[in-house]
Amino acid sequence: MKIDDLGDWRRSHYSSDVTPEMDGEEVILMGWIREIRDLGGIRFIVLQDKLGNVQITIPESEVNEETLSKSSSLHRQDCIAVRGLVRKMEKAPRGVEVIPKEIRILGIARQPLPLDITGKTPADIDVRLDVRVLDLRSDRSQAIFKIRHVVLEATREFLSGRGFLEVNTPKIIASATEGGAALFPIVYFEREAFLAQSPQLYKEELIIDFEKVFEIGPAYRAEKSHTRRHITEFLSIDIEEAFATAEDVMKVAEELMYHICKTVRERCREELRVLNHTFDLPRLPLRRLTYDEVIGELRERGMKIKWGEDIPTAAFRTLGEIHPYFYFITDWPTKLKPFYIKPRDDDPRISEGFDLMWSWIEIASGGTRVHKKELLIERLKEQGLHPESFKFHLQAFDYGMPPHAGWAIGLERLVMMLTGIKNIREVVLFPRDRFRLTP
Ligand code: ATP
């Protein structure tokens, strides 16, 4: 089949701009063929673009020979441009159709299609990810990525409005942030380097210059566990704030959650409808449960967790049943938290670290940081790390490091919960996990 060029054609309208009131107007539309139906003597095409659909009607008796012959060679998901006249038509979806004068075939889709993107024939997630470029054209994917976009937009609006400066820190780093286990080593000329697992150290260093910073950037974890909430490359939303404690930044986190939920509900009504998902606005302040309270609740349900042990996934699932929406878990045992989390002054076994949960899923973690150099060196050693490897980081503590606090939100985890999607891979364009490095 001959593929046409765009030539001097430019889109005059998106599909959703075409209304019955435009009866008789000429339009140029561009998009992909979602459906094609031949009723003998008349052919119907549903043309999809990024804003919606419109019906193209091709009555044999009304269109020229060339248009008719071109339309007979079309298939689902071909990319076409249509120049034609708008006609008011009650029986058509939204009461309007377009009768083509000319069709240009801009890109063809190989048949048979490997996926039914209407979702009528559901496909396995791996099949979908293998032809992700096609899968992303489905209503479901379009809805997910619109919501993801709005979450990022709302986050930037909110944090900028609160006086946080957006920064970008290096993703190629010389040494481990929190220990080497979860890092990807890379060949960096004659040396070994790593992909950053978090902007933690840089963002702490930056508050001595900018006081309040945020970063939205990729984080890399050599994550062996193959779960529906872990990937090896995710987007981390980080803040760090000078002259603040855990409680101060928890307030920022909960107000941000409120703002995101409100914005998504307002700007993504249609997308939530497509995904058949809803959520309420969170009621602030969010519940704050201490680690001790949490293990108490679990004990009552027959799950024994020894003080100081991490909470296993099964226990988180039980917690999620008790607390189905947002809540914080505070006062974690110090030994469960990274070296930069501050131990409490009155009881150093307990830290000023917290996690923000949505049901059983950890959305964010944060805390008050250690801002005294001596204590930080002690904490590094306690965790088996070498202060020498952190000499550039420690240097920041020689130039007036204020007390500070911050957190990191995993964007995909939040988007999963906002969309009701169960597998994190679906909310990433091209997900990476232990077994998937393509497409
Ligand atoms: P988890 O215990 O769930 O593996 P973590 O304690 O390793 O998470 P942090 O290092 O505290 O996570 O990272 C901050 C946030 O980043 C987490 O709360 C989570 O939302 C997100 N996150 C961490 N690891 C991953 C991952 N492998 N895939 C997706 N998101 C992640």
Side-chain angles (χ1 to χ4, degrees):
M1 198 196 305
K2 187 174 152 287
I3 297 185
D4 297 313
D5 288 315
L6 194 56
D8 57 356
W9 281 24
R10 292 297 174 271
R11 167 189 271 145
S12 68
H13 296 78
Y14 280 102
S15 60
S16 54
D17 299 335
V18 180
T19 58
E21 293 70 48
M22 288 164 66
D23 188 61
E25 254 184 64
E26 185 174 287
V27 292
I28 297 181
L29 307 173
M30 299 189 184
W32 292 264
I33 298 176
R34 189 182 169 98
E35 308 239 9
I36 187 158
R37 266 183 307 139
D38 208 332
L39 298 188
I42 190 160
R43 191 168 288 140
F44 297 103
I45 290 176
V46 179
L47 187 72
Q48 173 185 3
D49 59 28
K50 71 170 193 165
L51 295 186
N53 304 310
V54 66
Q55 177 172 300
I56 311 293
T57 307
I58 308 158
E60 243 174 53
S61 56
E62 288 182 54
V63 299
N64 61 47
E65 199 54 42
E66 195 195 339
T67 304
L68 196 61
S69 115
K70 267 194 178 171
S71 76
S72 67
S73 63
L74 295 174
H75 298 102
R76 279 191 303 149
Q77 301 310 327
D78 285 344
C79 176
I80 61 169
V82 175
R83 184 172 62 81
L85 291 183
V86 176
R87 187 155 75 183
K88 187 171 161 181
M89 168 57 67
E90 258 169 41
K91 278 189 254 161
R94 295 194 291 110
V96 70
E97 62 184 6
V98 172
I99 315 294
K101 285 184 177 165
E102 191 182 343
I103 292 177
R104 291 190 181 172
I105 301 172
L106 301 177
I108 52 177
R110 189 155 59 156
Q111 307 290 324
L113 295 170
L115 264 188
D116 169 20
I117 66 159
T118 65
K120 281 180 205 144
T121 323
D124 184 65
I125 179 85
D126 276 311
V127 174
R128 293 177 46 202
L129 292 176
D130 282 343
V131 265
R132 190 61 159 157
V133 284
L134 182 60
D135 178 59
L136 290 173
R137 207 177 289 160
S138 68
D139 290 347
R140 180 180 168 98
S141 297
Q142 294 271 318
I144 293 169
F145 288 95
K146 167 78 186 298
I147 291 174
R148 185 178 158 121
H149 168 84
V150 169
V151 173
L152 288 170
E153 192 176 39
T155 303
R156 285 203 164 88
E157 281 165 10
F158 178 88
L159 292 173
S160 305
R162 292 295 180 98
F164 286 85
L165 182 82
E166 182 163 3
V167 298
N168 301 96
T169 64
K171 301 303 155 207
I172 301 176
I173 56 166
S175 65
T177 315
E178 304 173 26
L183 285 174
F184 285 113
I186 56 167
V187 177
Y188 193 72
F189 303 104
E190 291 76 33
R191 283 183 288 168
E192 183 181 56
F194 301 93
L195 293 177
Q197 70 188 147
S198 130
Q200 182 64 34
L201 306 187
Y202 286 109
K203 65 174 177 167
E204 285 193 61
E205 291 163 27
L206 289 173
I207 57 100
I208 74 171
D209 307 303
F210 301 106
E211 296 194 28
K212 291 168 88 167
V213 295
F214 78 100
E215 175 163 8
I216 300 178
Y220 301 92
R221 304 269 168 104
E223 199 74 68
K224 286 217 175 93
S225 49
H226 195 67
T227 78
R228 297 205 294 176
R229 63 186 197 290
H230 289 95
I231 37 180
T232 51
E233 179 176 32
F234 65 94
L235 209 67
S236 184
I237 303 173
D238 276 80
I239 72 155
E240 204 62 32
E241 179 172 353
F243 313 110
T245 62
E247 183 49 40
D248 297 320
V249 293
M250 282 159 72
K251 284 204 186 86
V252 178
E254 64 188 2
E255 282 164 28
L256 173 61
M257 287 308 119
Y258 183 89
H259 180 70
I260 289 174
C261 289
K262 186 163 175 286
T263 311
V264 169
R265 279 167 52 118
E266 283 167 7
R267 293 184 203 164
C268 304
R269 252 178 248 275
E270 177 54 20
E271 287 72 19
L272 290 170
R273 192 196 59 74
V274 167
L275 296 169
N276 194 17
H277 187 65
T278 54
F279 50 83
D280 294 327
L281 281 183
R283 279 221 305 250
L284 303 193
L286 300 179
R287 191 95 192 261
R288 281 135 170 86
L289 296 163
T290 63
Y291 169 87
D292 285 10
E293 283 168 335
V294 163
I295 58 174
E297 285 185 338
L298 290 169
R299 196 176 312 115
E300 276 171 24
R301 282 164 184 76
M303 304 184 101
K304 285 209 183 81
I305 291 163
K306 243 177 52 205
W307 197 94
E309 271 174 17
D310 212 344
I311 298 171
T313 305
F316 273 126
R317 284 196 180 271
T318 303
L319 271 183
E321 284 162 20
I322 314 171
H323 309 286
Y325 205 12
F326 286 115
Y327 56 100
F328 286 106
I329 305 178
T330 65
D331 297 81
W332 285 84
T334 304
K335 67 173 184 187
L336 292 178
K337 288 286 167 191
F339 67 89
Y340 48 77
I341 294 286
K342 182 176 175 285
R344 256 169 50 177
D345 292 328
D346 58 343
D347 182 355
R349 290 180 317 135
I350 301 171
S351 75
E352 292 187 30
F354 64 83
D355 285 354
L356 170 63
M357 308 293 298
W358 182 332
S359 178
W360 68 282
I361 299 269
E362 179 193 318
I363 300 288
S365 73
T368 313
R369 318 303 191 184
V370 175
H371 85 285
K372 296 176 184 163
K373 189 175 177 181
E374 297 322 310
L375 179 58
L376 195 61
I377 292 173
E378 211 178 285
R379 295 274 296 132
L380 276 167
K381 288 184 186 156
E382 266 169 30
Q383 301 218 347
L385 298 165
H386 302 292
E388 184 54 25
S389 321
F390 292 82
K391 78 170 185 231
F392 286 108
H393 179 55
L394 291 169
Q395 170 182 277
F397 292 73
D398 292 334
Y399 299 105
M401 177 60 85
H404 58 284
W407 43 247
I409 296 173
L411 171 76
E412 288 82 5
R413 297 251 181 110
L414 180 59
V415 174
M416 274 172 83
M417 300 313 275
L418 290 165
T419 53
I421 297 293
K422 301 279 182 279
N423 191 329
I424 194 166
R425 288 159 189 77
E426 263 204 76
V427 306
V428 184
L429 290 172
F430 299 104
R432 295 284 177 261
D433 64 33
R434 192 173 171 192
F435 305 106
R436 182 175 285 280
L437 198 48
T438 52

